[in-house]
Amino acid sequence: MSTPFLKKDKTGICLKLHTALYGHDAIEQFRGAYGDGLTFVRRGAYWILSFADALEEDVVDSLDSLLVLSRNRKK
Amino acid sequence: MKKFIKADGWVKVPVQTKAYPLQAIYSAGYVFMDKAYLYLDLEAKDKVVVWLKPKAKADLDKLAMEFCQELLNYAHYFSSLKVNAESTKLLLQRALFSAAPSMVKEAEEKEIQDLIKELEQEEEKENRKPVKKGKK
């Protein structure tokens, strides 16, 4: 994995998102929009998103949508 | 010039949230979405790290410095917004009232009604108080 904050395990490419920064609602919205092939696990203050069968570039691409959803969330 | 940490085409910008509010980080990030991918993480209680990767070929240090500039720009914008909130409110009220003078009368009437209500409530409260028996 060349991206410093991404890890790969048996479930796919894992992206760690801090709930305080991205917001629970934004992550839930992203889950709804992405559909199948994405699993969510809550670990303390983080949500671990596992992208099964996805390319690293696709995961990096999804950061744009996540940032927009987080910025527009209700505080 | 400050050197930023770099790894595999990404550059890491540490941000103190005491100096730059989260709202400024989101806004600066939103502006940068055209030219870079962004990832946010919390490194410590008051320290957010922003990872940036240019979407087209670009100098990472320059990109990080530009992000810092945008961050400062938004931090200033939000702090000014806070400072000027009361003046902005007053100006808007004035503008609205001058556009529709009937609103002034309505506002005054409402204020009078509120004052009357308040006085009535106080009076009611006074009447409810038990009368103390005086010493004989």
Side-chain angles (χ1 to χ4, degrees):
Chain A
M1 206 70 354
S2 68
T3 309
F5 49 83
L6 291 180
K7 281 190 182 107
K8 194 165 186 173
D9 66 11
K10 55 184 178 185
T11 60
I13 299 174
C14 299
L15 175 67
K16 257 173 80 183
L17 298 176
H18 201 287
T19 320
L21 294 173
Y22 284 92
H24 185 81
D25 291 348
I27 297 170
E28 278 292 338
Q29 262 179 288
F30 180 76
R31 189 219 293 247
Y34 195 89
D36 293 338
L38 185 64
T39 50
F40 281 66
V41 182
R42 182 91 193 248
R43 287 233 180 99
Y46 283 92
W47 274 102
I48 316 283
L49 278 65
S50 294
F51 296 78
D53 310 318
L55 296 170
E56 196 176 335
E57 294 82 52
D58 298 332
V59 179
V60 170
D61 252 339
S62 64
L63 289 172
D64 278 357
S65 331
L66 277 161
L67 187 71
V68 173
L69 290 170
S70 317
R71 183 183 177 254
N72 296 340
R73 77 187 196 265
K74 282 179 190 165
K75 298 204 171 65
Chain B
M1 194 171 97
K2 188 182 170 179
K3 287 277 171 199
F4 294 96
I5 293 172
K6 284 163 232 142
D8 304 304
W10 289 82
V11 59
K12 186 180 174 185
V13 181
V15 183
Q16 293 290 338
T17 48
K18 273 188 182 171
Y20 302 99
L22 219 49
Q23 200 61 40
I25 301 174
Y26 290 127
S27 300
Y30 194 71
V31 169
F32 261 65
M33 264 176 52
D34 279 346
K35 46 183 164 184
Y37 291 109
L38 287 107
Y39 170 73
L40 311 176
D41 199 7
L42 203 72
E43 224 172 53
K45 198 187 159 207
D46 295 319
K47 193 178 172 191
V48 170
V49 288
V50 182
W51 283 96
L52 296 158
K53 184 190 185 180
K55 287 184 178 174
K57 210 177 173 201
D59 180 56
L60 291 181
D61 275 315
K62 201 178 162 207
L63 185 77
M65 290 302 278
E66 279 172 5
F67 183 76
C68 293
Q69 297 267 37
E70 203 60 56
L71 212 53
L72 184 66
N73 185 19
Y74 274 103
H76 174 251
Y77 169 75
F78 286 115
S79 76
S80 307
L81 206 65
K82 225 180 195 176
V83 170
N84 299 329
E86 201 53 40
S87 322
T88 313
K89 196 179 154 191
L90 270 171
L91 282 169
L92 273 171
Q93 272 177 351
R94 278 263 176 105
L96 279 170
F97 284 156
S98 58
S102 63
M103 284 173 80
V104 183
K105 209 179 172 187
E106 273 173 36
E108 278 173 355
E109 271 171 21
K110 199 183 174 292
E111 205 172 320
I112 291 168
Q113 290 299 327
D114 287 346
L115 271 170
I116 292 170
K117 213 182 243 178
E118 211 173 288
L119 280 169
E120 279 173 355
Q121 277 171 348
E122 266 176 39
E123 210 176 279
E124 218 168 275
K125 231 184 246 176
E126 284 292 316
N127 290 340
R128 268 190 216 152
K129 271 185 191 170
V131 184
K132 281 181 187 170
K133 283 179 185 171
K135 276 183 186 174
K136 281 180 188 172

